[in-house]
Amino acid sequence: LERRIRWINHQHETTLEDIRKKARELKGDYETSTQAINDINEKLSGLMDKYNQTVRKREKSSLAEEMYQRAQDTIAQLEKEKEFFHNQSCPTCNQSISDELRQKKITRKDERLKKLYSVIGQLEERVNQIKDVETELNQIKSEKKKLEDEKKAKKYQRDKIKKEAERLKKEYEEKSKKAAQSAQDEEKEKADLENALATLRQEEKDLTEESQYLDVAGRLLRDDGIKAEIIKKFLIAYSIWRSTNS
């Protein structure tokens, strides 16, 4: 019984230790997943800062593009007006235009055109950056989606680990309770057996003593002298008894 109790206790302890080992492994996996999620959040935070900066850059480039287009439209209009004053008379009403007026108008148009071409030169670099900015934004969006998908997968993995840990905790509590109950039952069975054994030993002792008494009595009864003495005492006692009763 002692060996059986030790074996059962060993089996329970082995099972509980296996659960504790799995729980430690799950704890490590959970902490690893949590750290990975935190790292991803840091990357996403830095990526969003970069995204916002790029968006502002694109807004500036878009404004430059709008100014560039307006400048182009103005240049086209000025070139058309300048071409008009290359005529010595109005093409519509045939009214003559003096050389002084024509030269004056052309000079003013050229001055404005010069300034506009200078502005366009400055804007062209920003306008050309729009494609690079759009490419950069697309790359950021792609990287952001990749990180978010990775984060989602890590969170799913962490939630799965958490559920498994909760299941192990419940299993550990149930098996601990079962082990305690089993140990209690075994101890009770042990106590019952010890009590039964003590009873058997007492009965054995009583039977041995009774056997010894019977053995001695048998030997005495086989002795004729002792037998005659017993009969004599019996007859005397019987006579006294009869006399008393009479």
Side-chain angles (χ1 to χ4, degrees), residues 13-14 16 20 34 57 61-62 66 91 110 115 183 205:
E13 182 57 32
T14 300
L16 292 176
R20 286 193 291 267
T34 300
K57 189 188 297 183
S61 298
S62 298
E66 183 181 352
D110 284 339
K115 290 179 181 180
K205 181 180 178 183

Side-chain angles (χ1 to χ4, degrees), residues 23-158:
R24 288 192 295 270
E25 291 174 354
L26 286 174
K27 181 181 178 183
D29 293 341
Y30 185 88
E31 290 174 351
T32 300
S33 297
T34 300
Q35 184 59 50
I37 291 172
N38 291 337
D39 293 342
I40 291 172
N41 285 334
E42 288 183 7
K43 290 180 181 178
L44 282 171
S45 178
L47 199 63
M48 287 307 299
D49 290 340
K50 185 178 179 181
Y51 179 83
N52 292 332
Q53 292 174 3
T54 307
V55 167
R56 288 193 292 270
K57 189 188 297 183
R58 183 181 65 178
E59 289 172 353
K60 291 180 180 179
S61 298
S62 298
L63 180 60
E65 184 179 31
E66 183 181 352
M67 292 173 64
Y68 180 85
Q69 188 59 49
R70 287 181 180 179
Q72 288 279 32
D73 293 341
T74 303
I75 286 173
Q77 182 62 32
L78 287 172
E79 289 288 358
K80 184 177 179 181
E81 292 175 359
K82 179 182 173 181
E83 182 65 25
F84 174 83
F85 286 105
H86 280 122
N87 299 312
Q88 292 182 350
S89 60
C90 176
T92 304
C93 63
N94 293 323
Q95 183 178 356
S96 63
I97 304 172
S98 66
D99 291 340
E100 182 181 355
L101 179 59
R102 287 190 302 107
Q103 190 60 44
K104 185 177 180 180
K105 291 288 186 181
I106 291 172
T107 300
R108 287 182 179 176
K109 302 297 181 186
D110 284 339
E111 288 175 354
R112 289 189 63 189
L113 285 169
K114 184 178 180 180
K115 290 179 181 180
L116 285 171
Y117 279 121
S118 176
V119 170
I120 281 182
Q122 296 173 10
L123 293 175
E124 251 179 357
E125 184 177 354
R126 290 188 181 181
V127 171
N128 292 332
Q129 287 176 350
I130 291 178
K131 289 183 179 180
D132 296 336
V133 170
E134 289 295 336
T135 301
E136 187 177 359
L137 281 175
N138 290 332
Q139 290 175 347
I140 293 173
K141 289 177 182 178
S142 177
E143 188 176 353
K144 179 174 176 286
K145 185 178 184 306
K146 182 180 178 181
L147 286 172
E148 286 175 343
D149 289 343
E150 185 180 352
K151 179 181 176 181
K152 184 178 179 181
K154 291 292 182 182
K155 287 186 71 175
Y156 175 79
Q157 181 182 8
R158 188 177 68 173

Side-chain angles (χ1 to χ4, degrees), residues 16 41 56 171 179 185 188 192 195 199 206 217 222 228 244:
L16 292 176
N41 285 334
R56 288 193 292 270
E171 182 182 355
D185 293 342
K188 184 177 181 300
D192 292 343
N195 291 334
T199 301
D206 295 342
R222 285 194 296 272
T244 304

Side-chain angles (χ1 to χ4, degrees), residues 179-228:
Q181 184 62 48
S182 178
Q184 185 178 350
D185 293 342
E186 292 296 333
E187 287 298 328
K188 184 177 181 300
E189 184 179 354
K190 178 183 176 183
D192 292 343
L193 288 173
E194 288 175 347
N195 291 334
L197 182 60
T199 301
L200 288 172
R201 284 174 177 169
Q202 184 61 44
E203 290 178 356
E204 182 183 10
K205 181 180 178 183
D206 295 342
L207 288 172
T208 301
E209 290 177 355
E210 184 179 351
S211 178
Q212 289 175 348
Y213 292 146
L214 290 173
D215 185 54
V216 171
R219 286 199 301 271
L220 290 174
L221 289 174
R222 285 194 296 272
D223 190 322
D224 291 338
I226 294 175
K227 187 189 297 184

